[in-house]
Amino acid sequence: MKKIFYIIFLITITQTYAQEFNTGTNVINAGIGFGGNFGNYTTSSQSPGFSVTYERGIWDVPGPGVVSLGAYLGTKTYKYDYAFGNDKWTYTIIGIRGAYHYNGLEIENLDVYAGAMFSYNILSFDGSTAGSFNSRPSGTAFAGGRWYFTKTFAGFVEASYGVAYINLGASIRF
Protein backbone atom coordinates (compact mmCIF):
# COMPACT_ATOMS: atom_id res chain seq x y z
CA MET A 1 0.00 0.00 0.00
CA LYS A 2 2.88 2.38 0.80
CA LYS A 3 4.32 1.77 -2.66
CA ILE A 4 1.04 2.76 -4.32
CA PHE A 5 0.89 6.05 -2.39
CA TYR A 6 4.56 6.70 -3.16
CA ILE A 7 3.99 6.12 -6.90
CA ILE A 8 0.92 8.40 -6.91
CA PHE A 9 2.93 11.07 -5.06
CA LEU A 10 5.78 10.87 -7.58
CA ILE A 11 3.43 11.07 -10.54
CA THR A 12 1.71 14.11 -9.04
CA ILE A 13 4.99 15.93 -8.39
CA THR A 14 6.64 15.11 -11.69
CA GLN A 15 3.75 15.98 -13.97
CA THR A 16 4.47 19.14 -15.92
CA TYR A 17 2.13 22.08 -16.02
CA ALA A 18 2.46 25.21 -18.11
CA GLN A 19 2.51 27.64 -15.19
CA GLU A 20 3.00 30.93 -16.90
CA PHE A 21 1.37 33.77 -15.05
CA ASN A 22 -1.56 34.99 -17.17
CA THR A 23 -4.16 37.73 -17.18
CA GLY A 24 -6.78 36.72 -14.61
CA THR A 25 -4.40 34.54 -12.59
CA ASN A 26 -4.79 34.95 -8.80
CA VAL A 27 -2.07 33.93 -6.33
CA ILE A 28 -1.81 34.08 -2.54
CA ASN A 29 1.64 33.72 -0.93
CA ALA A 30 2.30 33.01 2.75
CA GLY A 31 5.94 33.33 3.75
CA ILE A 32 8.54 33.55 6.43
CA GLY A 33 11.40 36.00 6.01
CA PHE A 34 14.96 36.36 7.23
CA GLY A 35 17.04 39.50 7.69
CA GLY A 36 15.56 42.94 7.22
CA ASN A 37 16.36 46.61 7.03
CA PHE A 38 14.67 47.55 10.32
CA GLY A 39 17.19 45.76 12.56
CA ASN A 40 20.02 48.25 12.18
CA TYR A 41 20.37 48.55 15.94
CA THR A 42 22.06 45.95 18.11
CA THR A 43 19.26 43.64 19.19
CA SER A 44 19.05 40.86 21.73
CA SER A 45 16.58 38.97 19.55
CA GLN A 46 14.35 39.29 16.54
CA SER A 47 11.49 37.32 15.10
CA PRO A 48 11.45 36.13 11.52
CA GLY A 49 9.33 38.25 9.22
CA PHE A 50 5.88 36.91 8.41
CA SER A 51 4.06 38.00 5.27
CA VAL A 52 0.98 37.37 3.18
CA THR A 53 0.56 38.70 -0.36
CA TYR A 54 -2.17 38.59 -2.96
CA GLU A 55 -1.79 39.39 -6.65
CA ARG A 56 -3.87 39.23 -9.79
CA GLY A 57 -2.71 39.27 -13.42
CA ILE A 58 -4.11 42.50 -14.89
CA TRP A 59 -2.77 42.93 -18.42
CA ASP A 60 -0.51 41.36 -21.04
CA VAL A 61 2.51 43.37 -22.12
CA PRO A 62 5.06 42.81 -24.87
CA GLY A 63 8.19 41.12 -23.77
CA PRO A 64 6.41 38.51 -23.22
CA GLY A 65 4.84 38.99 -19.86
CA VAL A 66 1.97 39.96 -17.62
CA VAL A 67 1.65 42.81 -15.13
CA SER A 68 0.03 41.99 -11.80
CA LEU A 69 -1.32 44.20 -9.04
CA GLY A 70 -1.80 43.15 -5.46
CA ALA A 71 -1.52 43.71 -1.73
CA TYR A 72 1.03 42.96 0.99
CA LEU A 73 0.85 42.51 4.77
CA GLY A 74 3.97 41.73 6.80
CA THR A 75 5.23 41.96 10.38
CA LYS A 76 8.50 41.61 12.29
CA THR A 77 9.58 42.22 15.92
CA TYR A 78 12.92 43.26 17.45
CA LYS A 79 13.82 43.17 21.14
CA TYR A 80 16.71 44.81 22.94
CA ASP A 81 17.49 44.01 26.57
CA TYR A 82 19.93 46.07 28.62
CA ALA A 83 20.77 46.77 32.27
CA PHE A 84 18.10 49.44 32.84
CA GLY A 85 15.20 47.95 30.90
CA ASN A 86 14.21 46.61 27.53
CA ASP A 87 12.77 47.85 24.27
CA LYS A 88 10.55 46.16 21.72
CA TRP A 89 9.84 47.35 18.16
CA THR A 90 7.10 45.76 16.08
CA TYR A 91 6.90 46.73 12.43
CA THR A 92 3.73 46.06 10.46
CA ILE A 93 3.85 46.83 6.76
CA ILE A 94 0.74 47.30 4.62
CA GLY A 95 1.32 47.85 0.93
CA ILE A 96 0.19 47.74 -2.66
CA ARG A 97 2.49 46.18 -5.20
CA GLY A 98 2.86 45.68 -8.90
CA ALA A 99 5.01 43.10 -10.66
CA TYR A 100 6.08 42.05 -14.13
CA HIS A 101 5.94 38.27 -14.68
CA TYR A 102 8.31 37.22 -17.43
CA ASN A 103 6.88 34.34 -19.48
CA GLY A 104 9.67 34.04 -22.04
CA LEU A 105 11.86 31.44 -20.31
CA GLU A 106 9.73 28.55 -21.56
CA ILE A 107 10.48 26.55 -18.40
CA GLU A 108 7.35 24.73 -17.32
CA ASN A 109 6.39 25.06 -13.65
CA LEU A 110 8.35 28.32 -13.20
CA ASP A 111 6.99 31.85 -12.68
CA VAL A 112 9.67 34.56 -12.35
CA TYR A 113 8.81 38.15 -11.53
CA ALA A 114 10.10 41.50 -10.30
CA GLY A 115 8.30 44.59 -9.12
CA ALA A 116 7.86 47.47 -6.73
CA MET A 117 5.73 48.14 -3.68
CA PHE A 118 4.44 51.32 -2.08
CA SER A 119 3.74 50.75 1.62
CA TYR A 120 3.06 52.27 4.98
CA ASN A 121 5.32 51.00 7.76
CA ILE A 122 3.50 51.05 11.11
CA LEU A 123 5.78 51.07 14.15
CA SER A 124 4.66 49.94 17.56
CA PHE A 125 7.30 50.76 20.19
CA ASP A 126 7.30 49.61 23.80
CA GLY A 127 10.31 50.57 25.83
CA SER A 128 12.11 52.75 28.27
CA THR A 129 14.20 54.77 25.84
CA ALA A 130 12.99 57.71 23.82
CA GLY A 131 13.90 57.92 20.20
CA SER A 132 12.93 59.16 16.80
CA PHE A 133 10.98 56.03 15.93
CA ASN A 134 7.79 56.61 13.97
CA SER A 135 5.51 55.19 11.32
CA ARG A 136 6.17 56.29 7.75
CA PRO A 137 5.43 55.66 4.08
CA SER A 138 8.01 53.63 2.22
CA GLY A 139 8.78 51.90 -1.04
CA THR A 140 10.71 48.79 -1.98
CA ALA A 141 11.69 46.65 -4.94
CA PHE A 142 11.49 42.87 -5.05
CA ALA A 143 12.28 39.92 -7.30
CA GLY A 144 11.25 36.32 -6.97
CA GLY A 145 10.12 33.07 -8.42
CA ARG A 146 7.59 30.32 -7.88
CA TRP A 147 8.04 26.65 -8.68
CA TYR A 148 4.74 24.83 -9.14
CA PHE A 149 4.58 21.28 -7.81
CA THR A 150 0.97 20.89 -8.94
CA LYS A 151 -1.37 22.99 -11.03
CA THR A 152 -2.29 25.15 -8.02
CA PHE A 153 0.45 24.71 -5.36
CA ALA A 154 3.94 26.25 -5.50
CA GLY A 155 6.90 27.08 -3.33
CA PHE A 156 8.33 30.59 -3.66
CA VAL A 157 11.43 32.60 -2.84
CA GLU A 158 11.54 36.38 -2.97
CA ALA A 159 14.31 38.91 -2.32
CA SER A 160 13.35 42.42 -1.23
CA TYR A 161 14.20 45.35 0.97
CA GLY A 162 11.18 45.22 3.24
CA VAL A 163 10.18 43.31 6.35
CA ALA A 164 12.80 40.71 5.33
CA TYR A 165 15.58 40.42 2.78
CA ILE A 166 14.68 36.84 1.81
CA ASN A 167 11.18 35.34 2.01
CA LEU A 168 10.39 31.64 1.57
CA GLY A 169 6.96 30.10 1.54
CA ALA A 170 4.03 28.53 -0.23
CA SER A 171 1.73 29.85 -2.95
CA ILE A 172 -1.80 28.92 -3.93
CA ARG A 173 -2.97 29.74 -7.45
CA PHE A 174 -6.65 30.03 -8.26
Side-chain angles (χ1 to χ4, degrees):
M1 192 68 158
K2 280 185 174 179
K3 289 181 183 180
I4 292 172
F5 285 117
Y6 181 69
I7 291 169
I8 291 170
F9 176 74
L10 283 177
I11 291 169
T12 302
I13 281 186
T14 58
Q15 285 183 351
T16 59
Y17 297 97
Q19 295 298 330
E20 293 179 344
F21 195 91
N22 298 307
T23 302
T25 298
N26 295 288
V27 176
I28 294 176
N29 295 324
I32 184 167
F34 304 96
N37 65 336
F38 296 115
N40 296 333
Y41 308 98
T42 303
T43 59
S44 299
S45 65
Q46 62 180 289
S47 74
F50 298 99
S51 64
V52 176
T53 63
Y54 165 78
E55 63 183 311
R56 178 175 175 81
I58 301 298
W59 66 84
D60 291 317
V61 293
V66 174
V67 171
S68 67
L69 295 176
Y72 176 92
L73 176 64
T75 188
K76 185 167 185 149
T77 301
Y78 296 92
K79 293 180 183 177
Y80 178 69
D81 298 317
Y82 54 96
F84 301 105
N86 53 46
D87 295 333
K88 179 181 174 184
W89 299 267
T90 301
Y91 289 92
T92 302
I93 299 175
I94 299 171
I96 56 173
R97 56 192 250 158
Y100 175 75
H101 297 259
Y102 181 68
N103 292 333
L105 292 178
E106 298 181 15
I107 299 173
E108 293 182 357
N109 303 329
L110 181 64
D111 172 25
V112 294
Y113 57 90
M117 177 175 72
F118 177 74
S119 62
Y120 193 73
N121 302 343
I122 302 165
L123 172 62
S124 171
F125 177 74
D126 180 26
S128 56
T129 61
S132 61
F133 306 107
N134 53 21
S135 301
R136 67 186 189 281
S138 184
T140 188
F142 58 89
R146 294 185 190 97
W147 183 266
Y148 283 88
F149 299 106
T150 69
K151 190 173 185 175
T152 59
F153 179 75
F156 82 93
V157 61
E158 190 173 285
S160 68
Y161 190 72
V163 74
Y165 292 138
I166 299 291
N167 291 292
L168 305 169
S171 302
I172 300 294
R173 174 183 165 162
F174 57 99

